[in-house]
Amino acid sequence: IAVTTAGDDQALHLKDIIINAEDGNLILVSQRDVHVPNAHVSSLKSVWTNGDLIASTGIDQRLNLWRICRKEDGLSLEHLLCSVVEAGETESMDV
């Protein structure tokens, strides 16, 4: 499970949670975190993920695309692109 959050602190946060189901019980296997300070130059307004990629937008009218990199030794985010969006309310865009 990839839980992604963003907010007024301009940072992007990801918590990657792995659970297993055994005999009808959910068992937490692991959880890892990654934090990207200053992911945007202004407050973030929206974030979307499909579990492999993250798209984030902010008041700065930029759309940033990130790749979630899962390795045995940790979790990281790779910044793939930044594009200026000509929409004033980027949080209402459909991906």
Side-chain angles (χ1 to χ4, degrees):
I1 301 169
V3 179
T4 308
T5 63
D8 292 340
D9 63 355
Q10 303 167 346
L12 182 65
H13 306 270
L14 170 67
K15 179 173 282 283
D16 198 41
I17 303 167
I18 299 173
I19 55 175
N20 282 340
E22 293 181 11
D23 300 324
N25 297 316
L26 295 178
I27 299 170
L28 177 65
V29 175
S30 70
Q31 56 182 337
R32 301 182 288 182
D33 299 272
V34 65
H35 169 86
V36 180
N38 300 314
H40 284 256
V41 295
S42 66
S43 298
L44 277 78
K45 296 295 286 179
S46 65
V47 64
W48 170 90
T49 185
N50 66 359
D52 295 314
L53 297 172
I54 297 172
S56 61
T57 63
I59 293 174
D60 58 6
Q61 293 185 298
R62 286 180 168 80
L63 169 67
N64 285 336
L65 187 63
W66 311 82
R67 176 179 294 129
I68 301 171
C69 302
R70 295 174 176 93
K71 299 179 182 174
E72 277 196 35
D73 62 342
L75 183 67
S76 65
L77 293 178
E78 176 187 0
H79 188 245
L80 299 176
L81 69 86
C82 176
S83 180
V84 175
V85 179
E86 297 295 328
E89 301 294 328
T90 57
E91 69 272 12
S92 63
M93 292 173 40
D94 188 20
V95 177

mmCIF file with all atom_site columns, all heavy atoms in Angstrom, residues 67-91:
data_model
loop_
_atom_site.group_PDB
_atom_site.id
_atom_site.type_symbol
_atom_site.label_atom_id
_atom_site.label_alt_id
_atom_site.label_comp_id
_atom_site.label_asym_id
_atom_site.label_entity_id
_atom_site.label_seq_id
_atom_site.pdbx_PDB_ins_code
_atom_site.Cartn_x
_atom_site.Cartn_y
_atom_site.Cartn_z
_atom_site.occupancy
_atom_site.B_iso_or_equiv
_atom_site.pdbx_formal_charge
_atom_site.auth_seq_id
_atom_site.auth_comp_id
_atom_site.auth_asym_id
_atom_site.auth_atom_id
_atom_site.pdbx_PDB_model_num
ATOM 1   N N   . ARG A 1 67 ? 9.020  8.779  -9.601  1.00 0.00 ? 67 ARG A N   1
ATOM 2   C CA  . ARG A 1 67 ? 9.002  7.312  -9.636  1.00 0.00 ? 67 ARG A CA  1
ATOM 3   C C   . ARG A 1 67 ? 9.329  6.806  -8.233  1.00 0.00 ? 67 ARG A C   1
ATOM 4   O O   . ARG A 1 67 ? 10.286 7.260  -7.603  1.00 0.00 ? 67 ARG A O   1
ATOM 5   C CB  . ARG A 1 67 ? 10.023 6.766  -10.616 1.00 0.00 ? 67 ARG A CB  1
ATOM 6   C CG  . ARG A 1 67 ? 10.082 5.223  -10.586 1.00 0.00 ? 67 ARG A CG  1
ATOM 7   C CD  . ARG A 1 67 ? 11.076 4.636  -11.566 1.00 0.00 ? 67 ARG A CD  1
ATOM 8   N NE  . ARG A 1 67 ? 10.627 4.922  -12.917 1.00 0.00 ? 67 ARG A NE  1
ATOM 9   C CZ  . ARG A 1 67 ? 11.396 5.480  -13.853 1.00 0.00 ? 67 ARG A CZ  1
ATOM 10  N NH1 . ARG A 1 67 ? 12.634 5.823  -13.594 1.00 0.00 ? 67 ARG A NH1 1
ATOM 11  N NH2 . ARG A 1 67 ? 10.915 5.686  -15.065 1.00 0.00 ? 67 ARG A NH2 1
ATOM 12  N N   . ILE A 1 68 ? 8.528  5.859  -7.745  1.00 0.00 ? 68 ILE A N   1
ATOM 13  C CA  . ILE A 1 68 ? 8.791  5.218  -6.458  1.00 0.00 ? 68 ILE A CA  1
ATOM 14  C C   . ILE A 1 68 ? 9.824  4.117  -6.691  1.00 0.00 ? 68 ILE A C   1
ATOM 15  O O   . ILE A 1 68 ? 9.595  3.207  -7.491  1.00 0.00 ? 68 ILE A O   1
ATOM 16  C CB  . ILE A 1 68 ? 7.507  4.635  -5.852  1.00 0.00 ? 68 ILE A CB  1
ATOM 17  C CG1 . ILE A 1 68 ? 6.462  5.731  -5.639  1.00 0.00 ? 68 ILE A CG1 1
ATOM 18  C CG2 . ILE A 1 68 ? 7.820  3.914  -4.542  1.00 0.00 ? 68 ILE A CG2 1
ATOM 19  C CD1 . ILE A 1 68 ? 5.091  5.219  -5.241  1.00 0.00 ? 68 ILE A CD1 1
ATOM 20  N N   . CYS A 1 69 ? 10.966 4.221  -6.036  1.00 0.00 ? 69 CYS A N   1
ATOM 21  C CA  . CYS A 1 69 ? 12.043 3.252  -6.183  1.00 0.00 ? 69 CYS A CA  1
ATOM 22  C C   . CYS A 1 69 ? 12.133 2.414  -4.911  1.00 0.00 ? 69 CYS A C   1
ATOM 23  O O   . CYS A 1 69 ? 12.495 2.930  -3.851  1.00 0.00 ? 69 CYS A O   1
ATOM 24  C CB  . CYS A 1 69 ? 13.367 3.964  -6.434  1.00 0.00 ? 69 CYS A CB  1
ATOM 25  S SG  . CYS A 1 69 ? 13.372 5.020  -7.891  1.00 0.00 ? 69 CYS A SG  1
ATOM 26  N N   . ARG A 1 70 ? 11.772 1.149  -5.033  1.00 0.00 ? 70 ARG A N   1
ATOM 27  C CA  . ARG A 1 70 ? 11.810 0.226  -3.892  1.00 0.00 ? 70 ARG A CA  1
ATOM 28  C C   . ARG A 1 70 ? 13.006 -0.692 -4.052  1.00 0.00 ? 70 ARG A C   1
ATOM 29  O O   . ARG A 1 70 ? 13.121 -1.405 -5.046  1.00 0.00 ? 70 ARG A O   1
ATOM 30  C CB  . ARG A 1 70 ? 10.530 -0.605 -3.849  1.00 0.00 ? 70 ARG A CB  1
ATOM 31  C CG  . ARG A 1 70 ? 9.281  0.209  -3.590  1.00 0.00 ? 70 ARG A CG  1
ATOM 32  C CD  . ARG A 1 70 ? 8.030  -0.671 -3.707  1.00 0.00 ? 70 ARG A CD  1
ATOM 33  N NE  . ARG A 1 70 ? 6.835  0.058  -3.384  1.00 0.00 ? 70 ARG A NE  1
ATOM 34  C CZ  . ARG A 1 70 ? 6.077  0.682  -4.279  1.00 0.00 ? 70 ARG A CZ  1
ATOM 35  N NH1 . ARG A 1 70 ? 6.401  0.656  -5.558  1.00 0.00 ? 70 ARG A NH1 1
ATOM 36  N NH2 . ARG A 1 70 ? 4.984  1.324  -3.903  1.00 0.00 ? 70 ARG A NH2 1
ATOM 37  N N   . LYS A 1 71 ? 13.884 -0.659 -3.064  1.00 0.00 ? 71 LYS A N   1
ATOM 38  C CA  . LYS A 1 71 ? 15.063 -1.525 -3.049  1.00 0.00 ? 71 LYS A CA  1
ATOM 39  C C   . LYS A 1 71 ? 15.146 -2.170 -1.679  1.00 0.00 ? 71 LYS A C   1
ATOM 40  O O   . LYS A 1 71 ? 14.522 -1.709 -0.730  1.00 0.00 ? 71 LYS A O   1
ATOM 41  C CB  . LYS A 1 71 ? 16.328 -0.707 -3.339  1.00 0.00 ? 71 LYS A CB  1
ATOM 42  C CG  . LYS A 1 71 ? 16.302 -0.049 -4.705  1.00 0.00 ? 71 LYS A CG  1
ATOM 43  C CD  . LYS A 1 71 ? 17.555 0.755  -4.935  1.00 0.00 ? 71 LYS A CD  1
ATOM 44  C CE  . LYS A 1 71 ? 17.458 1.442  -6.304  1.00 0.00 ? 71 LYS A CE  1
ATOM 45  N NZ  . LYS A 1 71 ? 18.569 2.345  -6.530  1.00 0.00 ? 71 LYS A NZ  1
ATOM 46  N N   . GLU A 1 72 ? 15.934 -3.224 -1.588  1.00 0.00 ? 72 GLU A N   1
ATOM 47  C CA  . GLU A 1 72 ? 16.055 -3.907 -0.301  1.00 0.00 ? 72 GLU A CA  1
ATOM 48  C C   . GLU A 1 72 ? 16.594 -2.994 0.783   1.00 0.00 ? 72 GLU A C   1
ATOM 49  O O   . GLU A 1 72 ? 16.214 -3.104 1.946   1.00 0.00 ? 72 GLU A O   1
ATOM 50  C CB  . GLU A 1 72 ? 16.944 -5.141 -0.432  1.00 0.00 ? 72 GLU A CB  1
ATOM 51  C CG  . GLU A 1 72 ? 16.191 -6.346 -0.948  1.00 0.00 ? 72 GLU A CG  1
ATOM 52  C CD  . GLU A 1 72 ? 16.963 -7.623 -0.712  1.00 0.00 ? 72 GLU A CD  1
ATOM 53  O OE1 . GLU A 1 72 ? 17.650 -7.734 0.317   1.00 0.00 ? 72 GLU A OE1 1
ATOM 54  O OE2 . GLU A 1 72 ? 16.852 -8.510 -1.553  1.00 0.00 ? 72 GLU A OE2 1
ATOM 55  N N   . ASP A 1 73 ? 17.492 -2.080 0.412   1.00 0.00 ? 73 ASP A N   1
ATOM 56  C CA  . ASP A 1 73 ? 18.116 -1.218 1.416   1.00 0.00 ? 73 ASP A CA  1
ATOM 57  C C   . ASP A 1 73 ? 17.346 0.070  1.674   1.00 0.00 ? 73 ASP A C   1
ATOM 58  O O   . ASP A 1 73 ? 17.783 0.910  2.449   1.00 0.00 ? 73 ASP A O   1
ATOM 59  C CB  . ASP A 1 73 ? 19.553 -0.898 1.020   1.00 0.00 ? 73 ASP A CB  1
ATOM 60  C CG  . ASP A 1 73 ? 19.642 -0.126 -0.288  1.00 0.00 ? 73 ASP A CG  1
ATOM 61  O OD1 . ASP A 1 73 ? 18.667 -0.131 -1.062  1.00 0.00 ? 73 ASP A OD1 1
ATOM 62  O OD2 . ASP A 1 73 ? 20.696 0.486  -0.539  1.00 0.00 ? 73 ASP A OD2 1
ATOM 63  N N   . GLY A 1 74 ? 16.188 0.246  1.043   1.00 0.00 ? 74 GLY A N   1
ATOM 64  C CA  . GLY A 1 74 ? 15.414 1.444  1.342   1.00 0.00 ? 74 GLY A CA  1
ATOM 65  C C   . GLY A 1 74 ? 14.446 1.845  0.248   1.00 0.00 ? 74 GLY A C   1
ATOM 66  O O   . GLY A 1 74 ? 14.240 1.138  -0.736  1.00 0.00 ? 74 GLY A O   1
ATOM 67  N N   . LEU A 1 75 ? 13.877 3.001  0.452   1.00 0.00 ? 75 LEU A N   1
ATOM 68  C CA  . LEU A 1 75 ? 12.846 3.556  -0.413  1.00 0.00 ? 75 LEU A CA  1
ATOM 69  C C   . LEU A 1 75 ? 13.284 4.952  -0.823  1.00 0.00 ? 75 LEU A C   1
ATOM 70  O O   . LEU A 1 75 ? 13.812 5.708  0.000   1.00 0.00 ? 75 LEU A O   1
ATOM 71  C CB  . LEU A 1 75 ? 11.540 3.613  0.380   1.00 0.00 ? 75 LEU A CB  1
ATOM 72  C CG  . LEU A 1 75 ? 10.276 4.089  -0.290  1.00 0.00 ? 75 LEU A CG  1
ATOM 73  C CD1 . LEU A 1 75 ? 9.819  3.106  -1.361  1.00 0.00 ? 75 LEU A CD1 1
ATOM 74  C CD2 . LEU A 1 75 ? 9.185  4.276  0.749   1.00 0.00 ? 75 LEU A CD2 1
ATOM 75  N N   . SER A 1 76 ? 13.080 5.299  -2.093  1.00 0.00 ? 76 SER A N   1
ATOM 76  C CA  . SER A 1 76 ? 13.420 6.646  -2.539  1.00 0.00 ? 76 SER A CA  1
ATOM 77  C C   . SER A 1 76 ? 12.448 7.072  -3.630  1.00 0.00 ? 76 SER A C   1
ATOM 78  O O   . SER A 1 76 ? 11.703 6.260  -4.183  1.00 0.00 ? 76 SER A O   1
ATOM 79  C CB  . SER A 1 76 ? 14.867 6.712  -3.051  1.00 0.00 ? 76 SER A CB  1
ATOM 80  O OG  . SER A 1 76 ? 15.020 5.912  -4.207  1.00 0.00 ? 76 SER A OG  1
ATOM 81  N N   . LEU A 1 77 ? 12.471 8.361  -3.924  1.00 0.00 ? 77 LEU A N   1
ATOM 82  C CA  . LEU A 1 77 ? 11.667 8.919  -5.008  1.00 0.00 ? 77 LEU A CA  1
ATOM 83  C C   . LEU A 1 77 ? 12.607 9.533  -6.029  1.00 0.00 ? 77 LEU A C   1
ATOM 84  O O   . LEU A 1 77 ? 13.500 10.307 -5.683  1.00 0.00 ? 77 LEU A O   1
ATOM 85  C CB  . LEU A 1 77 ? 10.700 9.988  -4.488  1.00 0.00 ? 77 LEU A CB  1
ATOM 86  C CG  . LEU A 1 77 ? 9.592  9.505  -3.567  1.00 0.00 ? 77 LEU A CG  1
ATOM 87  C CD1 . LEU A 1 77 ? 8.751  10.685 -3.088  1.00 0.00 ? 77 LEU A CD1 1
ATOM 88  C CD2 . LEU A 1 77 ? 8.707  8.489  -4.266  1.00 0.00 ? 77 LEU A CD2 1
ATOM 89  N N   . GLU A 1 78 ? 12.414 9.185  -7.289  1.00 0.00 ? 78 GLU A N   1
ATOM 90  C CA  . GLU A 1 78 ? 13.198 9.749  -8.381  1.00 0.00 ? 78 GLU A CA  1
ATOM 91  C C   . GLU A 1 78 ? 12.340 10.788 -9.098  1.00 0.00 ? 78 GLU A C   1
ATOM 92  O O   . GLU A 1 78 ? 11.249 10.475 -9.563  1.00 0.00 ? 78 GLU A O   1
ATOM 93  C CB  . GLU A 1 78 ? 13.606 8.646  -9.357  1.00 0.00 ? 78 GLU A CB  1
ATOM 94  C CG  . GLU A 1 78 ? 14.344 9.152  -10.563 1.00 0.00 ? 78 GLU A CG  1
ATOM 95  C CD  . GLU A 1 78 ? 14.600 8.071  -11.600 1.00 0.00 ? 78 GLU A CD  1
ATOM 96  O OE1 . GLU A 1 78 ? 14.200 6.902  -11.389 1.00 0.00 ? 78 GLU A OE1 1
ATOM 97  O OE2 . GLU A 1 78 ? 15.187 8.406  -12.636 1.00 0.00 ? 78 GLU A OE2 1
ATOM 98  N N   . HIS A 1 79 ? 12.830 12.014 -9.171  1.00 0.00 ? 79 HIS A N   1
ATOM 99  C CA  . HIS A 1 79 ? 12.096 13.090 -9.847  1.00 0.00 ? 79 HIS A CA  1
ATOM 100 C C   . HIS A 1 79 ? 12.260 12.909 -11.354 1.00 0.00 ? 79 HIS A C   1
ATOM 101 O O   . HIS A 1 79 ? 13.372 12.953 -11.877 1.00 0.00 ? 79 HIS A O   1
ATOM 102 C CB  . HIS A 1 79 ? 12.622 14.453 -9.396  1.00 0.00 ? 79 HIS A CB  1
ATOM 103 C CG  . HIS A 1 79 ? 11.804 15.586 -9.893  1.00 0.00 ? 79 HIS A CG  1
ATOM 104 N ND1 . HIS A 1 79 ? 12.299 16.511 -10.762 1.00 0.00 ? 79 HIS A ND1 1
ATOM 105 C CD2 . HIS A 1 79 ? 10.515 15.927 -9.651  1.00 0.00 ? 79 HIS A CD2 1
ATOM 106 C CE1 . HIS A 1 79 ? 11.354 17.404 -11.033 1.00 0.00 ? 79 HIS A CE1 1
ATOM 107 N NE2 . HIS A 1 79 ? 10.265 17.057 -10.372 1.00 0.00 ? 79 HIS A NE2 1
ATOM 108 N N   . LEU A 1 80 ? 11.144 12.696 -12.056 1.00 0.00 ? 80 LEU A N   1
ATOM 109 C CA  . LEU A 1 80 ? 11.191 12.428 -13.487 1.00 0.00 ? 80 LEU A CA  1
ATOM 110 C C   . LEU A 1 80 ? 11.000 13.673 -14.337 1.00 0.00 ? 80 LEU A C   1
ATOM 111 O O   . LEU A 1 80 ? 11.673 13.839 -15.351 1.00 0.00 ? 80 LEU A O   1
ATOM 112 C CB  . LEU A 1 80 ? 10.134 11.388 -13.868 1.00 0.00 ? 80 LEU A CB  1
ATOM 113 C CG  . LEU A 1 80 ? 10.275 10.020 -13.206 1.00 0.00 ? 80 LEU A CG  1
ATOM 114 C CD1 . LEU A 1 80 ? 9.112  9.125  -13.590 1.00 0.00 ? 80 LEU A CD1 1
ATOM 115 C CD2 . LEU A 1 80 ? 11.605 9.382  -13.597 1.00 0.00 ? 80 LEU A CD2 1
ATOM 116 N N   . LEU A 1 81 ? 10.052 14.533 -13.957 1.00 0.00 ? 81 LEU A N   1
ATOM 117 C CA  . LEU A 1 81 ? 9.823  15.733 -14.758 1.00 0.00 ? 81 LEU A CA  1
ATOM 118 C C   . LEU A 1 81 ? 9.083  16.785 -13.966 1.00 0.00 ? 81 LEU A C   1
ATOM 119 O O   . LEU A 1 81 ? 8.447  16.506 -12.960 1.00 0.00 ? 81 LEU A O   1
ATOM 120 C CB  . LEU A 1 81 ? 9.061  15.422 -16.052 1.00 0.00 ? 81 LEU A CB  1
ATOM 121 C CG  . LEU A 1 81 ? 7.590  14.990 -15.979 1.00 0.00 ? 81 LEU A CG  1
ATOM 122 C CD1 . LEU A 1 81 ? 6.660  16.183 -15.950 1.00 0.00 ? 81 LEU A CD1 1
ATOM 123 C CD2 . LEU A 1 81 ? 7.263  14.145 -17.187 1.00 0.00 ? 81 LEU A CD2 1
ATOM 124 N N   . CYS A 1 82 ? 9.191  18.007 -14.451 1.00 0.00 ? 82 CYS A N   1
ATOM 125 C CA  . CYS A 1 82 ? 8.474  19.150 -13.910 1.00 0.00 ? 82 CYS A CA  1
ATOM 126 C C   . CYS A 1 82 ? 7.927  19.919 -15.099 1.00 0.00 ? 82 CYS A C   1
ATOM 127 O O   . CYS A 1 82 ? 8.656  20.241 -16.026 1.00 0.00 ? 82 CYS A O   1
ATOM 128 C CB  . CYS A 1 82 ? 9.405  20.025 -13.086 1.00 0.00 ? 82 CYS A CB  1
ATOM 129 S SG  . CYS A 1 82 ? 8.608  21.534 -12.486 1.00 0.00 ? 82 CYS A SG  1
ATOM 130 N N   . SER A 1 83 ? 6.631  20.190 -15.077 1.00 0.00 ? 83 SER A N   1
ATOM 131 C CA  . SER A 1 83 ? 5.995  20.904 -16.171 1.00 0.00 ? 83 SER A CA  1
ATOM 132 C C   . SER A 1 83 ? 5.110  22.005 -15.602 1.00 0.00 ? 83 SER A C   1
ATOM 133 O O   . SER A 1 83 ? 4.375  21.785 -14.640 1.00 0.00 ? 83 SER A O   1
ATOM 134 C CB  . SER A 1 83 ? 5.153  19.933 -17.008 1.00 0.00 ? 83 SER A CB  1
ATOM 135 O OG  . SER A 1 83 ? 4.519  20.610 -18.069 1.00 0.00 ? 83 SER A OG  1
ATOM 136 N N   . VAL A 1 84 ? 5.195  23.189 -16.196 1.00 0.00 ? 84 VAL A N   1
ATOM 137 C CA  . VAL A 1 84 ? 4.320  24.282 -15.788 1.00 0.00 ? 84 VAL A CA  1
ATOM 138 C C   . VAL A 1 84 ? 2.954  24.040 -16.410 1.00 0.00 ? 84 VAL A C   1
ATOM 139 O O   . VAL A 1 84 ? 2.826  23.747 -17.593 1.00 0.00 ? 84 VAL A O   1
ATOM 140 C CB  . VAL A 1 84 ? 4.883  25.646 -16.238 1.00 0.00 ? 84 VAL A CB  1
ATOM 141 C CG1 . VAL A 1 84 ? 3.915  26.770 -15.909 1.00 0.00 ? 84 VAL A CG1 1
ATOM 142 C CG2 . VAL A 1 84 ? 6.229  25.897 -15.581 1.00 0.00 ? 84 VAL A CG2 1
ATOM 143 N N   . VAL A 1 85 ? 1.916  24.126 -15.575 1.00 0.00 ? 85 VAL A N   1
ATOM 144 C CA  . VAL A 1 85 ? 0.546  23.874 -16.005 1.00 0.00 ? 85 VAL A CA  1
ATOM 145 C C   . VAL A 1 85 ? -0.179 25.214 -16.094 1.00 0.00 ? 85 VAL A C   1
ATOM 146 O O   . VAL A 1 85 ? -0.102 26.028 -15.182 1.00 0.00 ? 85 VAL A O   1
ATOM 147 C CB  . VAL A 1 85 ? -0.171 22.935 -14.998 1.00 0.00 ? 85 VAL A CB  1
ATOM 148 C CG1 . VAL A 1 85 ? -1.601 22.681 -15.422 1.00 0.00 ? 85 VAL A CG1 1
ATOM 149 C CG2 . VAL A 1 85 ? 0.597  21.634 -14.859 1.00 0.00 ? 85 VAL A CG2 1
ATOM 150 N N   . GLU A 1 86 ? -0.882 25.429 -17.170 1.00 0.00 ? 86 GLU A N   1
ATOM 151 C CA  . GLU A 1 86 ? -1.568 26.703 -17.390 1.00 0.00 ? 86 GLU A CA  1
ATOM 152 C C   . GLU A 1 86 ? -2.950 26.745 -16.738 1.00 0.00 ? 86 GLU A C   1
ATOM 153 O O   . GLU A 1 86 ? -3.797 27.518 -17.146 1.00 0.00 ? 86 GLU A O   1
ATOM 154 C CB  . GLU A 1 86 ? -1.695 26.974 -18.894 1.00 0.00 ? 86 GLU A CB  1
ATOM 155 C CG  . GLU A 1 86 ? -0.365 27.133 -19.603 1.00 0.00 ? 86 GLU A CG  1
ATOM 156 C CD  . GLU A 1 86 ? 0.416  28.353 -19.150 1.00 0.00 ? 86 GLU A CD  1
ATOM 157 O OE1 . GLU A 1 86 ? -0.204 29.375 -18.788 1.00 0.00 ? 86 GLU A OE1 1
ATOM 158 O OE2 . GLU A 1 86 ? 1.653  28.284 -19.145 1.00 0.00 ? 86 GLU A OE2 1
ATOM 159 N N   . ALA A 1 87 ? -3.165 25.930 -15.727 1.00 0.00 ? 87 ALA A N   1
ATOM 160 C CA  . ALA A 1 87 ? -4.451 25.900 -15.019 1.00 0.00 ? 87 ALA A CA  1
ATOM 161 C C   . ALA A 1 87 ? -4.267 26.544 -13.648 1.00 0.00 ? 87 ALA A C   1
ATOM 162 O O   . ALA A 1 87 ? -3.310 26.242 -12.936 1.00 0.00 ? 87 ALA A O   1
ATOM 163 C CB  . ALA A 1 87 ? -4.949 24.472 -14.860 1.00 0.00 ? 87 ALA A CB  1
ATOM 164 N N   . GLY A 1 88 ? -5.170 27.424 -13.284 1.00 0.00 ? 88 GLY A N   1
ATOM 165 C CA  . GLY A 1 88 ? -5.079 28.096 -11.998 1.00 0.00 ? 88 GLY A CA  1
ATOM 166 C C   . GLY A 1 88 ? -5.374 27.190 -10.821 1.00 0.00 ? 88 GLY A C   1
ATOM 167 O O   . GLY A 1 88 ? -4.806 27.333 -9.750  1.00 0.00 ? 88 GLY A O   1
ATOM 168 N N   . GLU A 1 89 ? -6.272 26.255 -10.996 1.00 0.00 ? 89 GLU A N   1
ATOM 169 C CA  . GLU A 1 89 ? -6.664 25.326 -9.932  1.00 0.00 ? 89 GLU A CA  1
ATOM 170 C C   . GLU A 1 89 ? -6.185 23.928 -10.299 1.00 0.00 ? 89 GLU A C   1
ATOM 171 O O   . GLU A 1 89 ? -6.961 23.068 -10.702 1.00 0.00 ? 89 GLU A O   1
ATOM 172 C CB  . GLU A 1 89 ? -8.190 25.343 -9.743  1.00 0.00 ? 89 GLU A CB  1
ATOM 173 C CG  . GLU A 1 89 ? -8.759 26.698 -9.379  1.00 0.00 ? 89 GLU A CG  1
ATOM 174 C CD  . GLU A 1 89 ? -8.304 27.161 -8.002  1.00 0.00 ? 89 GLU A CD  1
ATOM 175 O OE1 . GLU A 1 89 ? -8.090 26.317 -7.125  1.00 0.00 ? 89 GLU A OE1 1
ATOM 176 O OE2 . GLU A 1 89 ? -8.172 28.383 -7.818  1.00 0.00 ? 89 GLU A OE2 1
ATOM 177 N N   . THR A 1 90 ? -4.894 23.688 -10.153 1.00 0.00 ? 90 THR A N   1
ATOM 178 C CA  . THR A 1 90 ? -4.315 22.406 -10.581 1.00 0.00 ? 90 THR A CA  1
ATOM 179 C C   . THR A 1 90 ? -4.853 21.216 -9.804  1.00 0.00 ? 90 THR A C   1
ATOM 180 O O   . THR A 1 90 ? -4.851 20.107 -10.304 1.00 0.00 ? 90 THR A O   1
ATOM 181 C CB  . THR A 1 90 ? -2.780 22.454 -10.442 1.00 0.00 ? 90 THR A CB  1
ATOM 182 O OG1 . THR A 1 90 ? -2.445 22.771 -9.084  1.00 0.00 ? 90 THR A OG1 1
ATOM 183 C CG2 . THR A 1 90 ? -2.177 23.462 -11.380 1.00 0.00 ? 90 THR A CG2 1
ATOM 184 N N   . GLU A 1 91 ? -5.360 21.450 -8.587  1.00 0.00 ? 91 GLU A N   1
ATOM 185 C CA  . GLU A 1 91 ? -5.868 20.328 -7.787  1.00 0.00 ? 91 GLU A CA  1
ATOM 186 C C   . GLU A 1 91 ? -7.142 19.727 -8.360  1.00 0.00 ? 91 GLU A C   1
ATOM 187 O O   . GLU A 1 91 ? -7.547 18.636 -7.985  1.00 0.00 ? 91 GLU A O   1
ATOM 188 C CB  . GLU A 1 91 ? -6.073 20.731 -6.328  1.00 0.00 ? 91 GLU A CB  1
ATOM 189 C CG  . GLU A 1 91 ? -7.201 21.713 -6.093  1.00 0.00 ? 91 GLU A CG  1
ATOM 190 C CD  . GLU A 1 91 ? -6.782 23.169 -6.226  1.00 0.00 ? 91 GLU A CD  1
ATOM 191 O OE1 . GLU A 1 91 ? -5.688 23.469 -6.719  1.00 0.00 ? 91 GLU A OE1 1
ATOM 192 O OE2 . GLU A 1 91 ? -7.573 24.021 -5.805  1.00 0.00 ? 91 GLU A OE2 1
#
